[in-house]
Structures are given as C-alpha cells and as structure tokens.
C-alpha cells in the first residue's frame, strides 16, 4: 500500500512559443488524463506503463506547458504506485529543482519523502517531512499534516502506512458513483459483500491500529452506529494493518462497533484508492457513494439524512 498526497492543481505559467505547439500539448495532455481515468477503474499495469511513458515524452517535449507540473506529479505518483520508487525519486527531485515556484511543490515533497522511505532512505525522508512541517510556505497545508503523521509513524510501518495521495488516485472520484463490490472473509471464515447490504446505508471505513486520528473518531462512529443500527445502518470496517495478530483484542478494548475485516493483502484498499488513514465512504441504500471522509459531527448528520431518504423510499 502506498501513501501519497492529494489534489494537485496546475497554474504554472506557460510560454509555449507557437499555437501549433500548444495544440499538440493539449492533445497529448488530454490523452494522458484519459489514461489516468482508465487507471482509476482498472489499475491495469499496461495502462500504468502507458501513462508513465507518455508522461516522460510529454515532459521532454513540452517543459513549459502550463500543466507540465501536473504531468510531473502524475508520472512520479505512477512510478511509486507501481513499485518503481528510485525512478519516482529522480522525477520528483528534478521537478522540485526545476520548477520551484509550482503550486505542486508541497504534494511533491510529501510524495518524495514517501519514495525515500520506500527505498529505506529514512533520513532523507525525515528531512523532506520536516521541511513541510517547519517551512512557513507549507506548514499550514494538509501536506504538512501528512508529513507530521509520518514523522510520528515507526520506520517499520512507514513503507506500508497509508497517507493521502494525488488526485490521480483520489477517493473523491468515487462520489456519486456505484460502489465497487468486494467480498472479504473474517477470522472465522464468514464473508460479507457490499451487494449483500443493498437496502442499507453503509459506512465503509478504512482504518489501522496505528492511526491516532482513527482512534479519536471511534466515539462518534460508535454513537452513530448505536443510534442508527436498528434503522438499516451498518458500519463495515476494513483494517489496513499489514500484519497484526492483536486485531480482535484491539477492537474489543476500544469497543469499536460494526463489522470489521482485515485487508491483509491490501486489495480492497487499493481498489478504493485509499491513501489516507482513516478514509471512509458513506454509501446509500442503492449502493451509491454519497460522501467521503466524514468526521466529527458531519458523520451522524450525513447518516441521518440518508436514513431519512431511505425511509421515504
């Protein structure tokens, strides 16, 4: 599983010299974005390789195009996503050096740190994370928050920890779309699938034992579950810890409500492009994702709204 960061936007000033060149760049950029869209639905290695190769060519041919920073980020992210961290490091180091005023620098720094961690260069990763946390240009951003979380994560867990990643694999792309079904088995061999829960409002919640942010959300999850469970509401927890033989004890000690399953091979988290822990998806009775990443008071109010809609129908 991979950590990365979210929502890169491009506003780099273009100085393409001819209209024809700009036109070619737009066409190639749109082609790359089309491949990215396919990856959201398939995660096929062939699409990933196509995205990587076309992004490399684009950067070489159109270094001044106004969205080249986004293409850099897509390229580095795809390389890291498909286990090519050394190449990702080279891409992000080049980008950060050559485009220092780009608005994509903060997410690129976070992703670079993650790539360093992936190859065991933890001191370099720490330098990058601390820059995000301490530099006033970045310290108030969500990327600094992700960096702080990583600094507080043990080195053993860092490579497999989940943090918010780029818009390339952003869970927000699932909103207002049919939920992706899966089947998962608990320790006793009993299975659940989202299709079986059609007709109920479902909170699909990705969490890990090491996540302080998740632990802080347990009370509101439990309160929401207790209030609405008898009104066709269910919590399905997907546990993303790589290895942990104390999960049942953790759930018992924290008194976490709902049904919880260990995604030990990371297939479901990858299916949902989860890059931040915790991440949650609120699914209506028709199996449509309506909200993501609800927390605090926004969770029970959103559940109440869907419960009301379900009751009217």
């Amino acid at each position: 599983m991979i950590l990365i960061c979210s929502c890169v936007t491009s506003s780099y000033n273009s100085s393409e010299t001819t209209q024809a060149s700009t036109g070619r760049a737009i066409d190639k950029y749109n082609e790359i974005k089309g491949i990215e869209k396919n990856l959201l639905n398939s995660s096929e290695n062939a699409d990933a390789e196509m995205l990587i190769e076309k992004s490399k060519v684009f950067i070489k041919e159109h270094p001044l195009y106004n969205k080249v920073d986004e293409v850099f980020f897509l390229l580095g992210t795809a390389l890291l996503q498909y286990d090519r961290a050394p190449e990702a490091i080279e891409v992000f180091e080049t980008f950060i050096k050559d485009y220092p005023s780009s608005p994509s620098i903060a997410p690129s720094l976070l992703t670079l740190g993650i790539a360093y961690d992936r190859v065991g260069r933890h001191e370099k990763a720490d330098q990058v994370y601390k820059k995000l946390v301490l530099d006033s240009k970045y310290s108030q951003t969500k990327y600094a928050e992700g960096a702080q979380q990583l600094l507080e994560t043990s080195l053993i867990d860092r490579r497999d920890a989940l943090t918010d990643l780029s818009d390339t694999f952003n869970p927000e792309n699932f909103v207002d779309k049919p939920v992706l079904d899966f089947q998962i088995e608990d320790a006793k061999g009993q299975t659940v699938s989202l299709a079986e829960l059609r007709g109920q409002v479902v909170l699909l919640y990705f969490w890990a034992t090491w996540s302080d942010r998740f632990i802080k959300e347990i009370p509101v999850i439990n309160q929401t579950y207790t209030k609405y469970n008898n009104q066709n509401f269910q919590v399905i927890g997907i546990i993303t810890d790589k290895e942990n033989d104390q999960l049942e004890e953790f759930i018992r000690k924290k008194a976490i409500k709902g049904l919880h399953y260990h995604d030990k091979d990371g297939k479901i988290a990858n299916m949902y492009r989860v890059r931040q822990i915790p991440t949650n998806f609120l699914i209506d009775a028709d199996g449509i994702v309506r909200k993501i990443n609800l927390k605090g008071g926004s969770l029970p109010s959103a559940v109440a709204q869907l419960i009301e809609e379900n009751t009217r129908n």
Side-chain angles (χ1 to χ4, degrees):
M1 298 181 188
I2 301 172
L3 314 70
I4 313 195
C5 209
S6 93
C7 292
V8 172
T9 57
S10 295
S11 61
Y12 210 66
N13 291 327
S14 170
S15 59
E16 292 282 350
T17 56
T18 68
Q19 185 175 356
S21 177
T22 301
R24 289 194 300 272
I26 292 171
D27 290 341
K28 291 178 180 179
Y29 169 78
N30 288 336
E31 182 182 13
I32 290 169
K33 294 294 288 183
I35 300 169
E36 175 202 353
K37 184 176 180 180
N38 289 339
L39 270 173
L40 286 170
N41 298 318
S42 70
S43 296
E44 290 291 337
N45 286 339
D47 284 338
E49 287 298 327
M50 189 182 302
L51 175 66
I52 289 167
E53 292 308 312
K54 288 186 177 294
S55 296
K56 287 180 177 178
V57 172
F58 184 95
I59 289 167
K60 183 177 181 179
E61 293 181 350
H62 304 283
L64 299 177
Y65 184 63
N66 66 338
K67 295 184 184 294
V68 71
D69 50 355
E70 184 178 346
V71 177
F72 259 107
F73 194 86
L74 289 174
L75 172 58
T77 296
L79 288 167
L80 185 56
Q81 177 78 19
Y82 289 88
D83 298 323
R84 293 163 63 174
E87 293 176 67
I89 290 170
E90 183 177 352
V91 167
F92 283 116
E93 286 180 339
T94 298
F95 172 64
I96 290 165
K97 176 174 65 72
D98 292 347
Y99 298 83
S101 62
S102 167
S104 301
I105 291 296
S108 295
L109 283 169
L110 181 57
T111 313
L112 175 59
I114 292 160
Y116 282 141
D117 269 334
R118 179 57 64 86
V119 298
R121 298 170 66 184
H122 301 303
E123 290 185 2
K124 292 286 289 184
D126 282 356
Q127 290 175 15
V128 173
Y129 299 149
K130 289 176 182 177
K131 181 176 180 64
L132 282 167
V133 171
L134 299 176
D135 192 319
S136 60
K137 290 186 294 185
Y138 315 120
S139 59
Q140 299 304 310
T141 68
K142 58 187 173 183
Y143 311 113
E145 181 183 350
Q148 185 63 52
Q149 179 184 345
L150 287 165
L151 286 168
E152 295 171 357
T153 301
S154 72
L155 295 181
I156 294 174
D157 292 334
R158 267 196 201 171
R159 295 185 194 181
D160 298 309
L162 298 170
T163 288
D164 199 342
L165 185 50
S166 81
D167 197 44
T168 317
F169 307 105
N170 196 331
E172 289 183 6
N173 290 296
F174 290 95
V175 175
D176 295 328
K177 296 179 182 178
V179 71
L180 300 178
D181 194 25
F182 60 83
Q183 191 171 77
I184 192 168
E185 188 176 283
D186 66 15
K188 298 178 180 179
Q190 296 180 323
T191 61
V192 69
S193 71
L194 292 183
E196 296 170 5
L197 300 173
R198 198 61 51 85
Q200 299 186 53
V201 175
V202 175
L203 179 66
L204 179 63
Y205 211 110
F206 292 84
W207 62 271
T209 58
W210 49 260
S211 172
D212 290 339
R213 287 191 290 177
F214 167 70
I215 292 170
K216 291 177 182 177
E217 288 294 308
I218 291 175
V220 73
I221 295 169
N222 286 348
Q223 291 164 12
T224 306
Y225 178 91
T226 299
K227 185 172 182 178
Y228 297 108
N229 181 238
N230 63 355
Q231 300 180 55
N232 285 325
F233 171 67
Q234 183 59 269
V235 173
I236 300 295
I238 303 298
I239 309 166
T240 62
D241 290 60
K242 185 73 171 181
E243 297 291 341
N244 193 326
D245 57 3
Q246 305 296 320
L247 292 176
E248 290 188 17
E249 182 180 357
F250 182 88
I251 292 169
R252 180 180 56 79
K253 284 185 175 181
K254 299 295 182 182
I256 309 171
K257 306 290 187 181
L259 305 175
H260 299 272
Y261 302 85
H262 189 194
D263 185 27
K264 52 189 172 183
D265 57 6
K267 289 175 64 175
I268 298 173
N270 283 335
M271 178 189 297
Y272 278 84
R273 315 300 184 197
V274 173
R275 300 296 178 262
Q276 180 179 13
I277 293 297
T279 287
N280 61 65
F281 300 79
L282 185 62
I283 305 160
D284 69 17
D286 295 320
I288 304 298
V289 177
R290 298 288 293 275
K291 303 282 185 179
I292 69 165
N293 291 337
L294 295 161
K295 55 186 177 181
S298 65
L299 174 57
S301 61
V303 171
Q305 179 181 344
L306 293 189
I307 292 290
E308 183 179 353
E309 290 180 13
N310 199 22
T311 302
R312 288 200 304 265
N313 296 333

